[in-house]
Amino acid sequence: MDNATLQANASGDPSPRQRAEVLLSSITGKILRPFGYDALSDLAVQRASAADQTRSVVVVGEVKRGKSSLVNALVGWRDASPVGVDVTTSTTIALGEATDEAPGGTAQLLFPDRTEQIRHGELADWVSCEGAHVIDPRVDELPTRAIVPVAGSRLGDVAVIDTPGVGGLDPAYAALATASASQACVLVIVCDATTPITAPEMAFIRETGSAVEALIIVVTKTDKNVRRWKPIVEENRALLRTHLGREVPVLGVSSLRAVVAAEMPAGPERDRAEDRSGIAGLRSMIHAKLDVAEDLPAANGLRTAVEGLRALEADLSTQIDAITNGGEVIPDLTAQLEELQNLKDHSQQWEQYLARDLTLIRQNATDELDRRLDQIRETWTSQINKNGMAVLRKNPQHFTAEMEKEFQAAMAGSLTVFLEQLYTQIVKPRFDSEVVWDEIYQQVVATLSNRKLETHQVAGKRQGLLDPSMLTMGVMGSSMLGGLIGVTTVIGVGAVVGVAWVGFNLGFKAMRAGKTNLLAWQRETIATTKTTTGRMLESALALARPEIVIRYRDHLKTSIEHLQKQIKDAEDIARADKATREKKLGRLEGNRKVISGNITRAEELITELTAAPAVGGVAR
């Protein structure tokens, strides 16, 4: 039973999502499909499905705030993510439900070129700053992220992302919560009960959290600050109200008490213990915020259906005008027909313009890549020169992962420019059809998937780790999330290029080898990224151009036939007797009224589905 059904059962009334499903089924089945809008109906139903939606929680905070302990408390497993007095996680860890492919008691290590499964007890040796493999100079490569399958996770199918302690408050992680409206993601910022929100924490919240609706502040270590934590929670609420201008939920949690409670037998006593620890309230709030995001696909499906209704409404209006004012309508339709016929006759000319425009779009995407790579080179060269290699060598695993992420983001940003401009400058002006764009988009994105970034020092063929339908994670198994990658949003749809970043363990080796080797590796990787992206853009162009040409020719042919039919129908009705015209007019106006009513209902429901919920936080 899903959350929408639970909501309906609790109130006795259908939830907005359930009403959206019923309305969408009625619109597509009773209106759009009978009028020949099958492809658009299929697209609307596809977009309304939340089957591919990512449900995740990203936990960020400064060092030693208790992020990993909180993550363990959320899933209900004391040792899921490594914790300890001297333990600091050095890379991103994703925790989610165990599957047959990723069973409990194991962990998956994601290297830039492959995934390895280990026993969970070995995880700390690979992902903590003082791990045996991390500090061993004989180890040539380390994972840049890890996955921990959790059997019977107390958060259900929600994945929890434990961000590296050494990274501190990295704004890149907040981007996971804002990457796409189609994804369900909550950003949890961890403070503790020793002090109110610090200046760096507030700066981070202002910079990144102000744009995140699904934001929760958690005050940890309440068991160690029994008297102070409640005043701290209230003070934090007031500070957030002042600096953000809105209410943000602030909850106090004892992670220690929560994991103790999770180990108790299921029953009322465990429920009371979890409630007292604050973790039950946090889980409930997370699920409430995810429920809001889960309504967004239903809204997207209705928006697509409304597009079809509006096209149908316009067609009916033309037929009505032909009956009531045929003397003006027929010449207008004839003029439109002549314009389309002229476009068809001059197809060679517009195909030349298309080739020119696609070349310009490719150049814009290349310019964006160059800009981002120049910024990466300047940033890292400055950091190396300013801090010296000693700083990087303290945790080469973390910095290698950071470099990997930044190169991926540069590549994804370039491809975002290409896809955005392909839509706004090429497809939309010619077709103004979401169905056509979706078909072209899916084929282009498929050509960008499973690419590899390899330097000449690395051999082997590997499959990409990422599913192009995801925004920030690769899907491992049925519901596991595999690490952080570059983020991009394209026309409301997330697209990430699946790239196996084979070269990045070489960066790890170069970092250990010295400054000269690291800078040489960086130059080579920048050059390889440019070459790889250029080839991907060429592949996309090679596919996009004939697809657009063929579809545009078909679009002109279909549009001409449709206008010819409209003109013939208008001429026929003009010759019909008054009774026949009035009968047809009544039928058309009745259909238009039904369509208009469905548009109104759909738009009202879209507003309801996308309305921001009232936010309020009650400290435990």
Side-chain angles (χ1 to χ4, degrees):
M1 182 178 294
D2 62 17
N3 290 324
T5 305
L6 290 172
Q7 292 172 10
N9 291 345
S11 64
D13 298 318
S15 70
R17 205 185 326 164
Q18 286 180 313
R19 286 185 279 121
E21 291 170 358
V22 172
L23 181 58
L24 182 62
S25 177
S26 175
I27 291 172
T28 56
K30 297 180 180 179
I31 301 176
L32 294 180
R33 293 189 190 279
F35 279 93
Y37 287 78
D38 292 316
L40 188 137
S41 296
D42 292 340
L43 181 59
V45 172
Q46 172 194 324
R47 288 181 171 174
S49 171
D52 295 327
Q53 191 181 52
T54 305
R55 290 165 48 86
S56 57
V57 179
V58 179
V59 181
V60 300
E62 291 200 87
V63 179
K64 299 302 181 183
R65 287 293 192 264
K67 294 192 299 292
S68 295
S69 295
L70 181 66
V71 163
N72 294 343
L74 282 169
V75 300
W77 182 12
R78 182 189 297 270
D79 300 316
S81 186
V83 294
V85 176
D86 298 321
V87 173
T88 300
T89 50
S90 57
T91 191
T92 303
I93 303 173
L95 299 86
E97 277 192 313
T99 66
D100 292 340
E101 298 81 11
T106 67
Q108 279 70 48
L109 303 179
L110 276 67
F111 293 85
D113 59 338
R114 68 188 186 284
T115 301
E116 289 186 6
Q117 183 167 292
I118 61 171
R119 292 185 298 105
H120 178 267
E122 303 171 29
L123 180 64
D125 290 336
W126 288 101
V127 300
S128 60
C129 291
E130 299 301 320
H133 299 302
V134 176
I135 63 176
D136 187 346
R138 297 169 298 177
V139 174
D140 288 334
E141 55 183 358
L142 290 170
T144 53
R145 45 204 183 272
I147 302 168
V148 176
V150 180
S153 171
R154 299 286 283 151
L155 268 182
D157 65 347
V158 179
V160 186
I161 313 301
D162 185 8
T163 58
V166 293
L169 289 166
D170 185 347
Y173 295 114
L176 300 182
T178 59
S180 170
S182 65
Q183 298 302 312
C185 187
V186 176
L187 177 63
V188 172
I189 298 177
V190 180
C191 307
D192 66 31
T194 60
T195 180
I197 293 173
T198 64
E201 288 169 338
M202 185 57 72
F204 173 84
I205 293 170
R206 277 200 308 269
E207 180 183 353
T208 61
S210 59
V212 181
E213 183 61 42
L215 172 66
I216 302 173
I217 309 297
V218 174
V219 175
T220 57
K221 305 179 183 179
T222 58
D223 53 289
K224 297 179 180 178
N225 298 272
V226 177
R227 295 183 179 179
R228 281 182 53 81
W229 75 265
K230 288 186 178 180
I232 291 290
V233 164
E234 292 302 326
E235 189 170 349
N236 284 347
R237 276 211 196 97
L239 287 169
L240 291 163
R241 194 179 302 119
T242 299
H243 288 273
L244 266 65
R246 66 183 174 100
E247 294 292 330
V248 175
V250 182
L251 287 80
V253 173
S254 167
S255 301
L256 175 62
R257 291 175 178 171
V259 294
V260 169
E263 293 168 349
M264 298 169 61
E269 188 175 348
R270 184 180 72 176
D271 293 342
R272 285 192 294 270
E274 288 196 328
D275 189 62
R276 286 193 297 270
S277 75
I279 200 68
L282 177 57
R283 289 184 190 134
S284 295
M285 184 164 289
I286 286 170
H287 280 294
K289 289 186 176 295
L290 291 177
D291 288 344
V292 174
E294 286 174 346
D295 288 341
L296 297 178
N300 290 336
L302 284 178
R303 287 192 186 97
T304 302
V306 166
E307 176 193 328
L309 291 177
R310 291 196 183 282
L312 186 53
E313 184 181 42
D315 190 48
L316 291 175
S317 295
T318 299
Q319 294 182 56
I320 290 171
D321 289 344
I323 296 174
T324 59
N325 197 13
E328 293 183 7
V329 170
I330 293 176
D332 287 344
L333 293 174
T334 303
Q336 293 176 41
L337 179 60
E338 290 174 354
E339 183 179 352
L340 289 178
Q341 190 64 56
N342 185 55
L343 289 173
K344 181 180 178 182
D345 293 341
H346 294 82
S347 60
Q348 186 174 1
Q349 184 179 18
W350 67 256
E351 286 179 28
Q352 291 175 347
Y353 287 140
L354 173 65
R356 177 202 64 188
D357 292 343
L358 287 172
T359 299
L360 289 174
I361 290 173
R362 179 188 59 188
Q363 185 58 51
N364 292 338
T366 301
D367 290 345
E368 175 66 13
L369 179 68
D370 289 344
R371 183 189 68 80
R372 287 174 176 255
L373 291 177
D374 287 344
Q375 187 176 32
I376 289 173
R377 180 175 54 247
E378 292 173 7
T379 299
W380 282 98
T381 301
S382 174
Q383 185 167 353
I384 292 167
N385 290 332
K386 178 181 178 181
N387 299 321
M389 291 301 297
V391 174
L392 300 185
R393 284 173 178 158
K394 286 182 179 178
N395 193 354
Q397 182 182 21
H398 170 69
F399 288 111
T400 299
E402 288 297 296
M403 288 182 180
E404 178 184 4
K405 182 177 62 179
E406 289 187 19
F407 275 100
Q408 288 176 318
M411 202 174 206
S414 172
L415 295 166
T416 296
V417 169
F418 177 82
L419 288 167
E420 283 180 341
Q421 294 188 8
L422 180 66
Y423 174 75
T424 58
Q425 298 181 25
I426 304 293
V427 176
K428 194 173 190 302
R430 286 178 170 84
F431 302 99
D432 197 20
S433 167
E434 285 299 306
V435 172
V436 172
W437 166 242
D438 185 74
E439 291 172 347
I440 293 173
Y441 167 83
Q442 295 295 342
Q443 292 191 48
V444 170
V445 169
T447 70
L448 305 177
S449 304
N450 295 325
R451 295 281 176 163
K452 292 176 287 294
L453 178 64
E454 299 185 5
T455 68
H456 68 272
Q457 302 170 358
V458 181
K461 302 294 183 182
R462 287 104 173 175
Q463 291 297 315
L465 297 176
L466 311 176
D467 181 333
S469 69
M470 308 307 293
L471 280 180
T472 55
M473 326 277 180
V475 178
M476 310 298 292
S478 60
S479 62
M480 295 299 296
L481 300 177
L484 311 178
I485 66 169
V487 177
T488 178
T489 304
V490 184
I491 319 303
V493 181
V496 165
V497 181
V499 181
W501 292 86
V502 179
F504 278 88
N505 271 318
L506 295 177
F508 170 70
K509 297 175 187 176
M511 198 174 297
R512 283 184 163 179
K515 178 179 176 179
T516 301
N517 284 330
L518 179 58
L519 292 176
W521 168 84
Q522 181 179 284
R523 287 193 299 271
E524 182 181 346
T525 304
I526 287 174
T528 306
T529 301
K530 288 183 179 181
T531 302
T532 303
T533 307
R535 290 171 180 166
M536 295 169 78
L537 291 173
E538 287 295 336
S539 297
L541 281 175
L543 177 119
R545 188 169 184 270
E547 281 290 322
I548 293 169
V549 168
I550 292 169
R551 291 176 188 279
Y552 192 54
R553 288 174 179 170
D554 184 64
H555 170 71
L556 289 175
K557 179 176 178 291
T558 303
S559 298
I560 288 171
E561 291 174 350
H562 183 65
L563 278 170
Q564 289 172 334
K565 183 178 184 303
Q566 284 186 317
I567 292 170
K568 182 179 183 304
D569 289 346
E571 291 172 342
D572 289 345
I573 198 66
R575 291 191 293 266
D577 57 65
K578 181 179 179 181
T580 301
R581 290 199 303 273
E582 289 180 349
K583 181 179 179 181
K584 184 170 184 179
L585 179 62
R587 178 172 56 81
L588 292 171
E589 287 180 335
N591 288 342
R592 186 170 66 172
K593 183 177 180 180
V594 170
I595 291 170
S596 178
N598 276 275
I599 290 174
T600 300
R601 283 192 291 274
E603 290 181 334
E604 289 174 348
L605 196 45
I606 289 169
T607 299
E608 187 176 351
L609 288 166
T610 56
V615 177
V618 179
R620 304 303 307 176

